[in-house]
Amino acid sequence: MTVAQDVPSAPTGDPAGAGTDGASTRERILDIALELFSSQGYDKTSLREIADRLGFTKAAIYYHFASKADILMALHLRLHEFGREALDAMGDDASPASWARLLDRLIDQMLQQRALFIFHERNRAAIEELHRSEHDAGHEDIQDRLRKVLSDGSVPAETRVHMACAIGAVVGALEFSGDVFGSIPDDQLGDILRGVVASLLTESSGG
Amino acid sequence: MTVAQDVPSAPTGDPAGAGTDGASTRERILDIALELFSSQGYDKTSLREIADRLGFTKAAIYYHFASKADILMALHLRLHEFGREALDAMGDDASPASWARLLDRLIDQMLQQRALFIFHERNRAAIEELHRSEHDAGHEDIQDRLRKVLSDGSVPAETRVHMACAIGAVVGALEFSGDVFGSIPDDQLGDILRGVVASLLTESSGG
DNA sequence: GTCTATATTTCGATAGAC
DNA sequence: GTCTATCGAAATATAGAC
């Protein structure tokens, strides 16, 4: 599969592919796909459905993407960009301090890009299948890197579990943020989550 | 769809359908499905694949289940049984104390039935699609009930977020428990998780 | 309870016109 | 860049023999 297709994103010469709509067709496809993949799942969403929403036919999508999986990968890479940045703020060490630094960044990004994170959670099977079927040369997955850090045997078991719980807590809360926590402002939600992370990664916690 | 098919689970008269193998064919189908749905996802797993593993053909499955979705529903109900029990230990009130009681039960059940929980997490889109397409008369979903409790406006926002984080922490840790935390005994893991839950649901936490 | 064989449908993907 | 038309593959599901 060709992830980055040699597609003329701006054949008319406009900078970011801003076409008739302000967003390139490619981006509009991704936006609709994100919405449908999140609500129905990747497999239950057909290319015809995506095309219908955009007002053209299935075949047109193939001008912008080499395959359906290519759309999935593009969305995955969108998320990956945010994750990579947060990961780079952390070293490779497994200290609670650096983990807290990672989550601090992640909380803000999740709240700003929550649709992307929720999509990612609801389609884990499809995305991991993607990683299996391709030889992701040089594409180190976020999940793998997190696992690597959490596997560090030199860190006490309790600490590592606390680290896993911290990220689980943030992700878990995010899933309710749309509807159940809809009335809580993002700022406040972020503050609460940072507090949770801090309490989980502090020596005295957990008994 | 007929969720509970009128199938002769024990046509030869044996109590729990124990056939040639000690488990009824229906249960064996569910076990293989659980394994494949978890590793590959529901959509990427074909009935042929399940049948092959069991040594017979696809058509035989239709004797035991009315449809592929019926298998998914049966597995969902397996989990639902455990969740229901834990939920009943909690009232309908949204106090942190009752929430802690819920999670206490849930931790043990998750550790014992972790395959079932992981399956559920990796196939959320498919399962929710199931809920949409059927008129689940009387089938109140666990997720819905949790949302209802977390929506209780009479409870402070911070407390509700902490409750969401607590369940997220437990579920999040569970996902690493297979490989990354494989060397940690279940007893110890359970204790750590109970500690995490307690710290999250205590007044002083979170700053 | 399991088999063979087949019906039916849906979808991803391609070719080529415009 | 989008269209029409179509191919081919795969999967669910059914019918009926044994």
Side-chain angles (χ1 to χ4, degrees):
Chain A
M1 176 197 309
T2 320
V3 171
Q5 207 186 8
D6 289 329
V7 137
S9 68
T12 53
D14 48 354
T20 52
D21 234 41
S24 72
T25 302
R26 185 187 161 92
E27 290 304 309
R28 286 169 61 214
I29 292 173
L30 286 178
D31 287 341
I32 295 293
L34 175 61
E35 181 187 329
L36 292 178
F37 289 174
S38 292
S39 61
Q40 309 176 339
Y42 171 74
D43 300 274
K44 290 277 182 298
T45 303
S46 68
L47 295 180
R48 196 188 73 88
E49 213 170 345
I50 298 174
D52 280 356
R53 280 281 201 102
L54 288 165
F56 48 66
T57 68
K58 189 174 58 172
I61 295 182
Y62 280 94
Y63 178 79
H64 298 276
F65 295 93
S67 68
K68 186 185 180 186
D70 198 23
I71 299 178
L72 184 66
M73 179 59 97
L75 287 175
H76 175 61
L77 290 180
R78 264 194 186 178
L79 179 87
H80 218 265
E81 226 169 290
F82 296 105
R84 165 99 33 203
E85 183 195 325
L87 274 170
D88 287 344
M90 178 183 74
D92 260 332
D93 66 310
S95 73
S98 68
W99 194 261
R101 220 158 38 232
L102 166 73
L103 289 183
D104 255 24
R105 295 226 177 190
L106 221 54
I107 287 170
D108 287 333
Q109 291 174 343
M110 278 187 179
L111 289 174
Q112 279 162 29
Q113 307 284 338
R114 73 184 76 185
L116 208 49
F117 279 83
I118 287 175
F119 144 77
H120 203 263
E121 268 223 3
R122 307 238 354 238
N123 293 281
R124 287 185 66 154
I127 291 172
E128 286 173 28
E129 179 70 21
L130 205 67
H131 285 132
R132 251 190 306 283
S133 63
E134 312 219 9
H135 319 269
D136 292 311
H139 171 242
E140 189 194 28
D141 193 54
I142 294 179
Q143 201 80 15
D144 290 342
R145 195 150 157 202
L146 293 181
R147 278 176 192 276
K148 200 174 106 190
V149 173
L150 287 176
S151 300
D152 187 338
S154 69
V155 177
E158 186 174 5
T159 303
R160 288 189 286 144
V161 174
H162 281 188
M163 289 161 69
C165 284
I167 196 167
V170 172
V171 172
L174 176 80
E175 256 188 65
F176 294 103
S177 73
D179 40 352
V180 173
F181 295 156
S183 62
I184 306 176
D186 282 3
D187 286 357
Q188 187 186 352
L189 189 54
D191 285 345
I192 298 175
L193 290 180
R194 266 181 286 271
V196 166
V197 168
S199 80
L200 280 176
L201 299 178
T202 294
E203 300 302 324
S204 58
S205 75
Chain B
M1 175 194 311
T2 321
V3 171
Q5 205 184 10
D6 288 330
V7 136
S9 68
T12 54
D14 48 354
T20 52
D21 234 43
S24 71
T25 302
R26 186 188 159 91
E27 290 304 309
R28 287 169 61 215
I29 291 173
L30 287 178
D31 287 341
I32 295 292
L34 175 61
E35 182 187 330
L36 292 179
F37 289 173
S38 292
S39 61
Q40 308 175 340
Y42 171 73
D43 300 275
K44 290 278 183 298
T45 303
S46 68
L47 295 180
R48 197 189 71 89
E49 212 170 346
I50 297 175
D52 280 356
R53 281 280 202 104
L54 288 165
F56 48 67
T57 69
K58 191 174 55 172
I61 295 182
Y62 281 95
Y63 178 79
H64 298 276
F65 295 93
S67 67
K68 186 186 179 184
D70 199 22
I71 300 179
L72 185 65
M73 179 59 98
L75 287 175
H76 175 61
L77 289 180
R78 263 194 187 179
L79 180 87
H80 219 264
E81 226 169 289
F82 295 104
R84 164 98 34 202
E85 184 195 324
L87 274 170
D88 288 344
M90 178 183 74
D92 259 333
D93 65 310
S95 73
S98 68
W99 194 260
R101 221 156 40 232
L102 166 74
L103 288 183
D104 255 24
R105 295 225 176 191
L106 219 55
I107 286 169
D108 287 333
Q109 292 174 342
M110 278 187 181
L111 289 173
Q112 280 161 28
Q113 307 283 340
R114 74 183 77 186
L116 208 49
F117 279 83
I118 287 174
F119 144 77
H120 203 264
E121 267 224 2
R122 307 241 349 241
N123 293 280
R124 288 185 66 155
I127 291 172
E128 286 172 30
E129 179 69 21
L130 205 65
H131 285 133
R132 249 190 307 280
S133 62
E134 314 218 9
H135 318 270
D136 291 311
H139 171 243
E140 189 193 28
D141 193 53
I142 295 179
Q143 202 78 18
D144 290 341
R145 194 149 159 205
L146 293 182
R147 279 175 191 276
K148 200 174 106 190
V149 173
L150 287 177
S151 299
D152 187 337
S154 69
V155 177
E158 186 173 7
T159 302
R160 288 188 286 143
V161 174
H162 281 188
M163 289 161 69
C165 284
I167 197 167
V170 171
V171 172
L174 176 80
E175 257 189 65
F176 294 104
S177 73
D179 40 353
V180 172
F181 295 156
S183 64
I184 306 176
D186 281 3
D187 286 358
Q188 187 186 352
L189 189 54
D191 285 345
I192 297 175
L193 290 180
R194 268 181 285 272
V196 166
V197 168
S199 80
L200 279 177
L201 299 178
T202 295
E203 300 301 326
S204 60
S205 74

